[in-house]
Amino acid sequence: AAGVIQSPRHLIKEKRETATLKCYPIPRHDTVYWYQQGPGQDPQFLISFYEKMQSDKGSIPDRFSAQQFSDYHSELNMSSLELGDSALYFCASSSRGGGQETQYFGPGTRLLVL
Amino acid sequence: SQQGEEDPQALSIQEGENATMNCSYKTSINNLQWYRQNSGRGLVHLILIRSNEREKHSGRLRVTLDTSKKSSSLLITASRAADTASYFCATDPAWDGTASKLTFGTGTRLQVTL
């Protein structure tokens, strides 16, 4: 079965640079979520989109923005990167409109900021 | 803010033994989900239990939910070395028809030795 696809899988950036992370949800899933997991930490919710509209917002820095496109893929844009942004970034998808509450996670993008 | 606390933080058992992990949370939930994460890898969904359910089984997994105590437990029976991973509980608040977010617990690191 198709899973959530994230790209790139690994990314190295320098401080103050920008990064764009992409997420392709499971086909026919209408909801995308972004989570950040720091080293040794539990995943923290950043932002979610339902039917291409922002639905919920967590502890996402103002330097980050995200959107969901017409084909339901989503991008997380990160600017003015800081050392503390080094983390594993997960995208998850679900079919909320279909009454499915389970969130399926992608393999993550490991971001290292030097 | 962190919703869940997991207990124990680390657990080491021998193959064939049972492993029990506990999770406590603070607010009202729609459902509670358990995930497994191998070191630095993606989150794999294990099981979802709704707020009106008390117990659920899936293969060697048994999950209980006590909403009056705001707690859940995950039991893995007849453990295998391949079960070695970190286990997270995640709570999903009441759903109003739009996307929601998962709040993760601190995780239990399970080590199964031969």
Side-chain angles (χ1 to χ4, degrees):
Chain A
V4 176
I5 298 171
Q6 291 188 246
S7 68
R9 294 291 309 278
H10 302 271
L11 192 57
I12 299 176
K13 291 285 184 178
E14 305 229 339
K15 281 196 314 183
R16 292 180 288 277
E17 286 191 323
T18 61
T20 297
L21 279 53
K22 296 185 179 183
C23 169
Y24 297 86
I26 292 171
R28 290 179 293 283
H29 278 194
D30 50 28
T31 308
V32 166
Y33 314 78
W34 286 96
Y35 294 84
Q36 177 193 57
Q37 185 178 30
Q41 304 292 314
D42 53 283
Q44 296 288 317
F45 171 76
L46 293 177
I47 195 166
S48 63
F49 294 86
Y50 170 66
E51 283 292 345
K52 294 157 278 184
M53 299 287 287
Q54 182 181 308
S55 176
D56 207 345
K57 204 169 181 180
S59 49
I60 183 170
D62 292 340
R63 300 177 288 107
F64 294 6
S65 65
Q67 58 182 320
Q68 187 179 30
F69 294 86
S70 57
D71 64 351
Y72 291 93
H73 95 272
S74 177
E75 295 183 4
L76 177 65
N77 299 293
M78 310 159 72
S79 63
S80 302
L81 287 168
E82 301 174 356
L83 297 179
D85 296 329
S86 295
L88 199 50
Y89 290 83
F90 288 109
C91 171
S93 74
S94 71
S95 177
R96 281 287 185 180
Q100 185 207 75
E101 300 142 297
T102 299
Q103 293 186 25
Y104 295 92
F105 282 73
T109 293
R110 187 174 295 280
L111 172 66
L112 178 61
V113 181
L114 301 174
Chain B
S1 60
Q2 199 167 64
Q3 166 78 313
E5 296 287 335
E6 294 193 52
D7 166 50
Q9 290 189 342
L11 181 60
S12 183
I13 59 174
Q14 290 194 315
E15 207 172 43
E17 293 182 332
N18 295 342
T20 300
M21 288 159 264
N22 302 297
C23 166
S24 62
Y25 57 92
K26 297 175 184 174
T27 61
S28 297
I29 62 170
N30 178 47
N31 64 67
L32 185 145
Q33 303 180 38
W34 284 90
Y35 287 85
R36 183 185 74 214
Q37 185 179 36
N38 289 79
S39 181
R41 308 288 291 277
L43 290 154
V44 176
H45 183 263
L46 296 177
I47 197 165
L48 179 153
I49 186 165
R50 292 190 169 79
S51 60
N52 61 353
E53 297 176 311
R54 291 296 166 260
E55 188 171 313
K56 206 161 182 180
H57 297 254
S58 177
R60 294 184 296 112
L61 305 180
R62 173 177 167 255
V63 169
T64 63
L65 179 64
D66 187 336
T67 52
S68 66
K69 295 181 180 178
K70 290 188 168 58
S71 67
S72 174
S73 68
L74 171 67
L75 168 67
I76 303 174
T77 60
S79 64
R80 306 166 182 167
D83 294 329
T84 295
S86 291
Y87 292 81
F88 292 92
C89 69
T91 52
D92 191 351
W95 181 41
D96 62 0
T98 62
S100 187
K101 62 184 181 184
L102 291 178
T103 302
F104 283 81
T106 51
T108 293
R109 185 169 297 178
L110 174 65
Q111 175 78 43
V112 182
T113 56
L114 296 172

